[in-house]
C-alpha cells in the first residue's frame, strides 16, 4: 500500500512467488495450527537447500545477507501463499545471538545445524514463578569444575518436546543485586540425563508448548554464552529486532479477507452495523500498514527503532485480535465450530485463528508490559 | 516516531512552528466570538511565506510542493490553535489553479489578500458530497447557482468554491461573497468561531475548471479538505498530549506524581498510540499521493482515523487533568473544542466510514 518494491526487489518477489507456487506442498498451505515436525521440517529443509531459510543472517554463516526490504518481501510472499510458520527459536533468536556473542567454537558447532534444519531449538526463559517478571527466575546453574549443574524448571517452552537444544536464562549468582546481574545465558542439550519434558495442550487444541524439568543436569562450561552473569544483557540485546517481522500488515490483510469471505457467505455483509465495524477495522489495517512502512523507513536509515517498536507490537497484536473478533461475529452460530466451515465462498477457518491470536498479546512481552515500557522509556513518566 | 524529512521540509516545519508559537491558546481565546475570528494580517503573512500557494504549480506562481509540506504546516497550525484558515485557503488556491488558465481569484487567494473557502457540504453527515443538490443553471451565457450549503467556514471569506449540479453533472463553481442572491447566516461554534449557512438564489457564478472531468474538481477539493483537516487534527492531539504528559509529571496525589500510577500510564500510552498511528497514516498517505489525484479511500481513511483519535485523545486529556480540565480557564479544553469542530467538518469519523464502505466495496 505504501511501500513500493525497487526493480531488484520486484524481481526477487517474482522469483520467490514462482518458486513457492511450485514447491510449497498443498497440505501445508493455509494451516492455522503449526504442523508437527514430521510435516514441517522437510519444508524447512527445502527452503534451506534453496538458500532462503535465513534471509536476515549474514552470508558467511549460511544466510542470505538480505536487506530489510528483501526480508519483508520474503515474509509477505510466505504469508500470501499461506505457508506455515517455521520454528523460529533457532533462526530468529539463538542464531543471531550466537553470531553476535558466541565463541568461534559455538558458532561452528551450532549455526550450521540451524541452517540445515537438523537441530531444533527451544527458548527457556519463562518459569512458573517468572513470567512478566522474568528477572525473578530461579532455575539454578552452579559451576562445579568444568560443568554447570542445572536444577529447576522452565515452562511455556514453544516446541520444547520437539527440540534438541535449549538456550536458557539461569541463575548463577543467587545473591546478586539487582537480580538481573545474577543471570547467565546457557546452551543445554535437551537429550542430557536429568531432563523431563511434558507437552502442554493450548486452548487452540495443539501441543504448541511444554514444560521442561531439570534435575541436576550436567552442562559443559563451554556452553556459557558471553560472560558469567551477563545473560540478561545478551537476552535483551536483540529484542525488538523481530518485531518488524511479526507485525507485517500482510497478516492483518489476510485476516480481513477471511472476514469478508465469511461475512458474504453468512449474509451479514449487508448489515450497516457490521459494515461500519468492518470499515473501522479496515482503516486500522491501513494505519498499521502506514506505521509499519514508517518504521521500515526509519530502520533503514538509522539503527533500530528503540522502545517505539513496542507500539507496533501493541497496535498490531490488538488489531489482529479485533479482526478475529469480527470474524467470529461474521460467522454467527458457526463461530464455535471446531472445524473449518465450508461456505459457498470457500472454506473458512474461524475458531482456530480466533483462539490462536489470543497469544499475540501475551508472549514476547504482554500488552501491559509493553505499555509499561512505553510509559517509562518513551513518555518519560515517573516511577 | 520521527519523520524522515529533507532539509527544506525541516526548515518549512520550523517556520510553521514559529508562526504557530506566536498564536497559541491565549491568542485563540482572544478571537472567541469576534466578528472575524482571526487576524487578516496573519493570513497575509502566511501568504507571504508561500504557504497559501504551497500546492499551486510554480507556473501559476505557487511553491509546487506536495501533501507532505501541506501537512507539515497544518500540523503546526493545529498545535498552535492557529485561527487563520490557512488550510482552507491553501486547498482553495490549489483548486483555483487547476485549469489551463488560472482563476482570476488565484493570485489574491495565494497572497492572503482575499480569502476563498470551500462550500461543499449540504447536510450534517456529508452523505452526498459528489451529488450536490445545489443547481447550476445556464442563463444566456452566464451561470447562476441556486441552493443551500451548510457548515461553511465563512468567517472573513471573500468568495466560495461551491459544488453544484450542472448540465454535465457535478462541477465546481466560484461565487463572490457579495454576489447578488448570496446570503449568509452564521451560528457560533464551541470553538469560538462561526459556521455559516450559505443560501444562493440565482447567484452569478463561474466554473472552476478541473484537470480531468468536472466531477474531478469537486472530488479533488474534497479529498484535499480531508487531508488538510486531518493534519490540523493531528497537531491538536499532539499538543494536547504534550500538555497532559507534563501535567502527569508535576501533579501530585497520594504523595506521588499521578504519572506514576499505572492506570494513568497505560491511558497515556493509548493516547500516544493514537497520535503516532494517525501521524504515520497521514504522512504515508501524503508521501504517496499526488495532491490533485489522492486515492479517495485513503483520504477518507485518514479523516476517519484523525477525527476519531483526536476526540479520543482530547477527551482522555480532560480526564487526566481532573476538575481543572473541566474549567474554561485551563487551556486543555480548547484542544477538545478545536477537535470537536475539525472532526465534525466534511464528515465525522462515522460519515467517513460510511463512505469507506462503498469505496472499498465492503458490500454484498
Ligand atoms: C504461545 C506462547 C508461547 C510461548 N513460548 C515461550 C517460549 O518458547 N519460551 C519462553 O521462555 N516463554 C514462552 N512463553 C511465555 C511468555 O513469555 C509469558 O507468557 C509472558 O512472559 C507472560 O508471563 P506469564 O504467562 O507468566 O504471565 P504473568 O506475568 O503472570 O501475567 C499475567 C497477567 O498479568 C499482567 N501483568 C504482569 N505483570 C504486570 C505488571 N507489572 N503490570 C501490569 N500487568 C502485569 C500480564 O500482562 C498478564 O495479563 C510463551 C507464551 C505463549 C502464550
Amino acid at each position: 500500500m505504501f511501500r513500493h518494491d525497487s526493480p531488484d526487489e520486484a524481481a526477487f518477489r517474482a522469483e520467490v512467488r514462482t518458486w513457492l507456487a511450485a514447491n510449497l506442498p498443498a497440505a501445508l498451505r493455509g494451516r492455522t495450527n503449526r504442523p508437527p515436525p514430521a510435516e514441517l521440517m522437510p519444508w524447512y529443509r527445502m527452503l534451506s537447500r534453496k538458500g532462503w531459510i535465513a534471509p536476515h543472517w549474514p552470508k558467511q554463516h549460511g544466510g542470505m545477507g538480505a536487506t530489510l526490504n528483501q526480508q519483508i518481501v520474503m515474509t509477505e510472499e510466505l504469508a500470501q501463499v499461506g505457508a506455515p510458520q517455521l520454528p523460529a527459536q533457532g533462526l530468529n533468536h539463538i542464531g543471531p545471538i550466537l553470531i553476535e556473542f558466541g565463541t568461534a567454537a559455538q558458532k561452528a558447532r551450532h549455526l550450521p545445524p540451524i541452517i540445515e534444519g537438523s537441530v531444533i531449538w527451544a527458548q527457556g526463559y519463562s518459569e512458573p514463578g517468572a513470567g512478566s517478571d522474568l528477572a525473578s527466575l530461579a532455575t539454578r546453574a552452579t559451576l562445579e569444575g568444568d560443568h554447570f549443574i542445572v536444577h529447576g524448571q522452565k515452562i511455556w517452552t514453544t516446541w520444547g518436546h520437539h527440540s534438541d537444544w535449549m538456550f536458557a536464562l539461569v541463575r548463577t549468582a543467587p545473591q546478586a543485586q539487582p537480580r538481573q546481574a545474577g543471570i547467565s545465558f546457557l546452551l543445554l542439550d535437551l537429550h542430557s540425563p536429568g531432563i523431563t519434558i511434558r507437552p502442554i495442550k493450548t486452548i487452540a487444541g495443539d501441543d504448541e508448548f511444554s514444560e521442561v524439568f531439570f534435575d541436576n543436569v550436567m552442562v559443559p562450561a563451554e556452553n556459557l554464552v558471553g560472560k558469567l552473569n551477563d545473560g540478561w544483557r545478551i537476552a535483551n540485546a536483540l529484542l525488538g529486532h523481530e518485531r518488524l517481522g511479526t507485525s507485517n500488515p500482510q497478516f492483518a490483510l489476510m485476516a480481513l479477507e477471511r472476514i469478508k469471505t465469511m461475512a458474504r457467505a453468512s449474509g451479514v455483509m449487508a448489515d450497516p452495523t457490521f459494515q461500519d465495524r468492518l470499515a473501522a477495522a479496515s482503516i486500522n489495517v491501513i494505519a498499521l500498514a502506514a506505521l509499519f512502512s514508517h518504521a521500515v523507513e526509519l530502520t533503514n536509515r538509522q539503527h533500530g527503532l528503540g522502545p517505539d517498536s513496542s507500539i507496533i507490537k501493541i497496535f498490531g497484536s490488538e488489531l489482529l485480535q479485533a479482526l478475529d473478533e469480527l470474524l467470529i461475529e461474521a460467522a454467527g452460530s458457526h463461530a464455535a465450530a471446531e472445524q473449518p466451515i465450508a461456505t459457498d465462498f470457500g472454506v473458512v477457518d474461524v475458531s482456530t485463528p480466533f483462539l490462536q491470536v489470543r497469544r499475540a498479546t501475551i508472549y514476547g512481552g504482554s500488552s501491559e508490559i509493553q505499555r509499561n515500557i512505553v510509559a517509562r522509556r518513551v513518555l518519560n513518566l515517573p516511577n | 516516531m520521527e519523520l524522515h524529512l529533507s532539509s527544506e521540509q525541516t526548515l518549512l516545519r520550523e517556520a510553521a512552528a514559529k508562526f504557530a508559537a506566536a498564536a497559541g491558546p491565549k491568542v485563540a481565546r482572544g478571537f472567541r466570538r469576534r466578528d472575524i475570528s482571526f487576524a487578516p494580517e496573519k493570513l497575509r503573512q502566511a501568504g507571504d511565506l508561500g504557504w497559501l500557494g504551497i500546492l499551486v504549480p510554480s507556473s501559476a506562481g505557487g511553491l509546487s510542493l506536495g501533501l507532505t509540506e501541506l501537512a507539515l504546516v497544518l500540523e503546526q497550525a493545529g498545535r498552535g490553535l492557529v485561527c487563520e484558515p490557512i488550510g482552507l485557503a491553501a486547498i482553495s488556491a490549489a483548486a483555483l489553479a487547476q485549469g489551463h488558465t488560472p482563476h482570476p481569484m488565484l493570485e489574491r487567494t495565494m497572497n492572503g489578500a482575499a480569502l476563498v473557502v470551500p462550500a461543499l457540504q449540504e447536510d450534517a453527515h456529508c452523505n452526498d458530497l459528489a451529488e450536490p443538490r445545489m443547481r447550476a443553471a445556464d442563463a444566456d451565457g452566464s451561470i447562476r447557482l441556486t441552493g443551500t450549503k451548510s457548515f461553511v467556514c465563512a468567517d472573513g471569506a471573500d468568495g466560495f468554491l461551491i459544488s453544484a449540479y450542472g448540465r454535465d453533472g457535478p462541477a465546481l463553481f466560484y461565487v463572490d461573497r457579495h454576489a447578488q442572491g448570496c446570503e449568509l447566516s452564521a451560528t457560533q461554534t464551541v470553538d469560538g468561531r462561526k459556521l455559516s449557512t450559505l443560501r444562493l438564489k440565482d447567484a452569478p457564478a463561474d466554473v472552476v475548471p478541473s484537470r480531468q472531468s468536472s466531477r474531478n474538481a469537486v472530488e479533488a477539493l474534497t479529498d484535499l479538505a480531508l487531508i488538510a483537516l486531518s493534519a490540523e487534527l493531528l497537531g491538536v492531539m499532539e499538543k494536547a498530549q504534550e500538555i497532559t504528559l507534563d501535567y502527569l509529571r508535576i501533579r501530585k496525589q497520594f504523595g506521588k506524581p499521578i504519572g506514576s500510577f499505572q492506570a494513568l500510564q497505560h491511558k497515556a500510552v493509548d493516547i500516544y498510540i493514537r497520535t503516532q498511528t494517525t501521524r504515520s497514516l497521514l504522512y504515508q498517505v501524503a508521501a504517496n499521493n499526488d495532491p490533485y489525484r489522492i486515492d479517495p479511500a485513503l483520504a477518507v481513511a485518514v479523516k476517519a482515523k484523525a477525527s476519531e483519535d483526536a476526540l479520543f485523545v482530547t477527551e482522555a486529556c480532560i480526564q487526566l487533568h481532573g476538575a481543572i480540565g473541566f474549567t474554561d480557564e485551563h487551556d486543555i479544553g480548547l484542544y477538545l473544542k478545536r477537535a470537536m469542530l475539525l472532526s465534525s467538518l466534511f464528515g465525522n469519523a462515522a460519515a467517513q466510514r460510511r463512505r469507506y464502505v462503498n469505496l472499498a466495496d465492503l458490500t454484498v
Side-chain angles (χ1 to χ4, degrees):
Chain A
M1 200 172 306
F2 302 116
R3 296 180 40 261
H4 310 285
D5 289 347
S6 70
D8 282 355
E9 286 155 15
F12 179 59
R13 188 185 290 281
E15 188 191 350
V16 173
R17 187 171 293 182
T18 311
W19 188 85
L20 288 176
N23 291 285
L24 175 62
L28 287 181
R29 296 183 193 211
R31 299 266 286 254
T32 33
N33 281 337
R34 204 201 308 249
E39 275 185 84
L40 189 51
M41 292 314 284
W43 165 239
Y44 186 114
R45 290 190 275 269
M46 264 174 88
L47 275 169
S48 174
R49 284 193 297 275
K50 180 69 188 165
W52 287 351
I53 194 65
H56 54 305
W57 286 28
K59 281 201 174 119
Q60 68 186 106
H61 297 299
M64 281 172 67
T67 62
L68 178 60
N69 288 0
Q70 288 173 321
Q71 296 170 36
I72 291 166
V73 165
M74 194 72 154
T75 306
E76 286 171 353
E77 290 305 314
L78 284 165
Q80 187 80 43
V81 282
Q85 258 193 30
L86 298 170
Q89 304 297 0
L91 291 169
N92 291 348
H93 292 112
I94 191 59
I97 284 176
L98 288 180
I99 289 170
E100 180 104 6
F101 301 101
T103 62
Q106 286 169 343
K107 287 182 203 173
R109 168 155 192 204
H110 294 298
L111 296 181
I114 295 175
I115 292 289
E116 288 155 17
S118 53
V119 160
I120 298 175
W121 280 84
Q123 179 192 61
Y125 289 1
S126 306
E127 298 180 1
S132 300
D133 183 15
L134 188 57
S136 69
L137 61 90
T139 295
R140 284 269 274 277
T142 319
L143 194 56
E144 290 184 7
D146 54 3
H147 279 77
F148 288 100
I149 309 295
V150 177
H151 195 86
Q153 183 194 347
K154 295 291 175 181
I155 195 167
W156 319 128
T157 317
T158 298
W159 264 35
H161 49 300
H162 300 313
S163 296
D164 306 293
W165 278 81
M166 170 185 275
F167 56 98
L169 289 176
V170 290
R171 186 155 298 285
T172 37
Q175 309 304 333
Q177 284 300 332
R179 297 168 305 167
Q180 287 83 346
I183 293 173
S184 298
F185 196 105
L186 211 54
L187 309 178
L188 298 118
D189 181 346
L190 289 176
H191 305 295
S192 314
I195 295 181
T196 312
I197 305 179
R198 288 195 207 120
I200 302 173
K201 200 172 192 148
T202 74
I203 53 171
D206 53 355
D207 290 336
E208 174 72 4
F209 46 30
S210 54
E211 53 187 341
V212 183
F213 301 87
F214 304 94
D215 183 10
N216 292 322
V217 177
M218 304 245 302
V219 177
E222 73 227 34
N223 285 3
L224 178 71
V225 179
K227 295 208 180 73
L228 195 68
N229 298 324
D230 199 23
W232 188 259
R233 187 180 67 90
I234 291 170
N236 284 291
L238 300 180
L239 281 182
H241 212 69
E242 61 183 297
R243 288 207 181 117
L244 275 183
T246 51
S247 48
N248 192 303
Q250 188 65 38
F251 301 105
L253 286 166
M254 290 172 66
L256 214 46
E257 288 310 310
R258 262 204 304 274
I259 300 171
K260 286 193 220 167
T261 307
M262 192 68 236
R264 292 203 168 101
S266 73
V268 74
M269 195 63 132
D271 171 16
T273 311
F274 184 81
Q275 288 176 333
D276 181 62
R277 280 153 46 67
L278 185 54
S282 306
I283 289 167
N284 277 332
V285 173
I286 301 175
L288 177 66
L291 189 65
F292 180 78
S293 167
H294 187 178
V296 170
E297 271 173 33
L298 290 180
T299 310
N300 274 329
R301 292 209 159 86
Q302 59 214 39
H303 256 26
L305 279 182
D308 258 331
S309 66
S310 285
I311 69 161
I312 305 181
K313 169 152 201 271
I314 300 172
F315 189 72
S317 59
E318 293 182 357
L319 177 58
L320 282 178
Q321 293 187 339
L323 288 169
D324 281 332
E325 280 156 23
L326 270 184
L327 177 66
I328 63 166
E329 181 177 320
S333 294
H334 293 294
E338 196 177 43
Q339 292 302 314
I341 298 151
T343 76
D344 291 347
F345 295 76
V347 176
V348 191
D349 203 350
V350 173
S351 62
T352 312
F354 172 79
L355 290 168
Q356 285 289 16
V357 80
R358 298 297 103 204
R359 70 166 85 183
T361 49
I362 299 172
Y363 66 8
S366 69
S367 279
E368 291 76 22
I369 296 300
Q370 304 291 345
R371 281 185 170 80
N372 292 348
I373 294 171
V374 175
R376 305 246 169 79
R377 294 182 44 205
V378 181
L379 305 183
N380 293 315
L381 290 172
N383 265 317
Chain B
M1 291 181 342
E2 251 317 301
L3 295 172
H4 181 76
L5 299 177
S6 68
S7 50
E8 289 84 3
Q9 288 170 332
T10 307
L11 286 175
L12 178 68
R13 178 165 70 178
E14 279 164 12
K18 213 166 129 196
F19 185 95
K26 197 156 167 237
V27 175
R29 280 176 195 279
F31 285 129
R32 295 203 286 191
R33 296 177 178 278
R34 288 277 205 79
D35 209 19
I36 292 181
S37 54
F38 66 89
E41 69 277 9
K42 282 274 176 193
L43 189 65
R44 282 195 295 276
Q45 191 190 335
D48 291 342
L49 288 160
W51 300 343
L52 306 182
I54 203 160
L55 300 175
V56 172
S58 42
S59 57
L63 295 186
S64 208
L65 294 170
L67 293 173
T68 301
E69 286 81 4
L70 177 74
L72 285 170
V73 170
L74 296 179
E75 180 187 352
Q76 295 303 322
R79 288 181 71 97
L81 293 174
V82 166
C83 291
E84 289 71 36
I86 295 174
L88 296 178
I91 64 172
S92 297
L96 289 167
Q98 280 191 85
H100 292 295
T101 45
H103 192 275
M105 281 305 284
L106 175 62
E107 196 173 327
R108 295 196 329 120
T109 303
M110 261 197 302
N111 62 30
L115 175 62
V116 176
V117 294
L120 306 177
Q121 226 179 311
E122 295 187 350
D123 70 291
H125 295 286
C126 281
N127 284 322
D128 43 13
L129 276 175
E131 299 287 332
R133 287 187 299 268
M134 175 80 70
R135 293 289 138 186
D138 270 326
D140 28 275
S142 72
I143 302 168
R144 308 224 163 227
L145 298 192
T146 301
T148 303
K149 293 286 175 183
S150 36
F151 310 102
V152 183
C153 303
D155 250 8
D158 301 288
F160 306 99
L161 290 176
I162 297 174
S163 52
Y165 218 95
R167 209 177 37 201
D168 306 317
L172 196 62
F173 300 87
Y174 175 77
V175 172
D176 192 87
R177 157 79 187 89
H178 299 291
Q180 215 184 2
C182 170
E183 189 194 304
L184 279 172
S185 55
T187 44
Q188 199 66 45
T189 71
V190 289
D191 188 44
R193 297 195 287 176
K194 290 181 287 297
L195 287 175
S196 298
T197 301
L198 173 65
R199 288 190 184 81
L200 299 182
K201 193 160 184 302
D202 289 327
D206 53 290
V207 180
V208 176
S210 79
R211 291 208 163 173
Q212 295 153 24
S213 65
S214 57
R215 176 184 289 272
N216 179 261
V218 177
E219 287 171 356
L221 183 57
T222 305
D223 294 339
L224 277 174
L226 300 183
I227 299 292
L229 288 164
S230 301
E232 266 194 78
L233 281 164
L234 173 65
V236 170
M237 61 178 121
E238 283 176 339
K239 186 65 187 179
Q241 167 186 294
E242 199 176 297
I243 293 171
T244 303
L245 287 174
D246 281 342
Y247 191 69
L248 291 178
R249 292 186 199 106
I250 54 161
R251 168 71 174 168
K252 284 191 176 162
Q253 284 294 281
F254 301 95
K256 299 185 194 172
I258 56 172
S260 65
F261 301 132
Q262 194 183 52
L264 304 200
Q265 291 186 342
H266 285 197
K267 191 69 155 180
V269 174
D270 289 338
I271 289 172
Y272 180 68
I273 290 173
R274 299 285 185 138
T275 57
Q276 289 300 301
T277 48
T278 291
R279 184 179 170 80
S280 291
L281 179 59
L282 171 69
Y283 282 102
Q284 290 289 324
V285 170
N288 286 284
N289 283 270
D290 178 296
Y292 290 98
R293 220 173 301 136
I294 305 173
D295 176 345
L298 289 179
V300 160
V302 171
K303 178 65 166 59
K305 181 146 175 62
S307 300
E308 185 185 316
D309 290 354
L311 286 174
F312 175 95
V313 166
T314 50
E315 286 167 31
C317 288
I318 303 277
Q319 174 66 20
L320 294 179
H321 275 81
I324 191 79
F326 191 63
T327 63
D328 181 54
E329 190 189 338
H330 198 284
D331 290 337
I332 195 69
L334 299 179
Y335 297 86
L336 171 65
K337 289 175 176 180
R338 182 61 61 89
M340 287 168 72
L341 174 65
L342 299 178
S343 64
S344 77
L345 290 177
F346 292 88
N348 61 16
Q352 303 305 337
R353 290 197 297 268
R354 275 194 292 280
R355 289 188 62 205
Y356 188 84
V357 165
N358 292 316
L359 289 166
D361 196 22
L362 303 182
T363 49
V364 216

